[in-house]
Amino acid sequence: MSYYEITLSEEETTALGRRLGSCLQGGSVVLIDGDLGAGKTRLAQGIAEALGVNCPVTSPTFNLVLEYPLTRGLPSLLRHFDLYRLEDPDQLEDLDYFGLLEQQDAVSVVEWGSKFAAHLPRDFIQVTLTVDQDHPHERRVELSCEGESSLVQLSRFVTAETRMYLSD
């Protein structure tokens, strides 16, 4: 399943994140990819807002992972990863990356999530943001998934949204 939407501003990208966040559940993993400045953190901020994070969400580029408590019960935690600075897949083990992703009481959002394509989790929603070179404020936001749980969540998101388009 693959869908896309065009956002016309940072605010629309954040709003798309809020809509996606409202469809997630404990154990959800969202991998976000796109060029520098494409809006990965904006999307993550929207997801965090929908889940009930009550503090500013920033890119964890220098920390690799930041944790935010959620105020709405289960899941009880948002983990926000940024794999940009990692150079070797063995560094994922140092983070206990896969152990953290498997915890059912948390939602995991991973910027640069496909950096190590041979080491993807089994079940995830993939979001790819592409900047329109002719219209620098526009983003093509493509969503796809792998795994049964993510398919259910992405289907719920797409069903609720009337501006989504089936990708070629």
Side-chain angles (χ1 to χ4, degrees):
M1 172 183 282
S2 180
Y3 294 88
Y4 75 92
E5 180 172 339
I6 304 297
T7 62
L8 303 175
S9 66
E10 291 180 353
E11 293 77 17
E12 285 189 15
T13 301
T14 303
L16 189 147
R18 280 193 300 272
R19 292 194 321 267
L20 179 59
S22 70
C23 297
L24 300 177
Q25 60 194 35
S28 295
V29 177
V30 179
L31 307 180
I32 307 174
D33 289 291
D35 291 332
L36 288 171
K40 294 179 293 297
T41 301
R42 287 284 182 180
L43 188 82
Q45 290 168 338
I47 292 170
E49 188 178 320
L51 291 171
V53 172
N54 287 332
C55 61
V57 172
T58 59
S59 178
T61 301
F62 295 101
N63 299 336
L64 303 178
V65 62
L66 295 173
E67 295 184 341
Y68 300 94
L70 304 180
T71 59
R72 298 184 182 152
L74 291 175
S76 61
L77 191 66
L78 170 69
R79 283 199 180 90
H80 186 191
F81 295 84
D82 189 325
L83 305 184
Y84 181 74
R85 295 206 176 277
L86 297 184
E87 296 182 12
D88 186 283
D90 290 338
Q91 292 173 295
L92 296 172
E93 290 296 323
D94 295 340
L95 280 175
D96 189 26
Y97 178 68
F98 291 104
L100 294 173
L101 293 184
E102 291 175 2
Q103 293 180 358
Q104 295 300 303
D105 67 334
V107 169
S108 296
V109 173
V110 186
E111 294 189 35
W112 303 96
S114 297
K115 183 171 184 175
F116 303 109
H119 302 277
L120 297 176
R122 290 186 300 268
D123 198 309
F124 61 91
I125 295 173
Q126 174 70 54
V127 182
T128 304
L129 295 110
T130 307
V131 178
D132 184 323
Q133 298 304 319
D134 295 328
H135 304 94
H137 295 290
E138 288 186 21
R139 304 292 187 264
R140 178 183 167 111
V141 184
E142 186 151 355
L143 299 103
S144 60
C145 64
E146 183 70 38
E148 196 170 315
S149 177
S150 292
L151 176 62
V152 169
Q153 293 167 76
L154 185 57
S155 296
R156 199 169 32 223
F157 173 76
V158 170
T159 301
E161 181 52 45
T162 58
R163 292 176 39 206
M164 299 296 288
Y165 306 98
L166 182 61
S167 288
D168 304 336

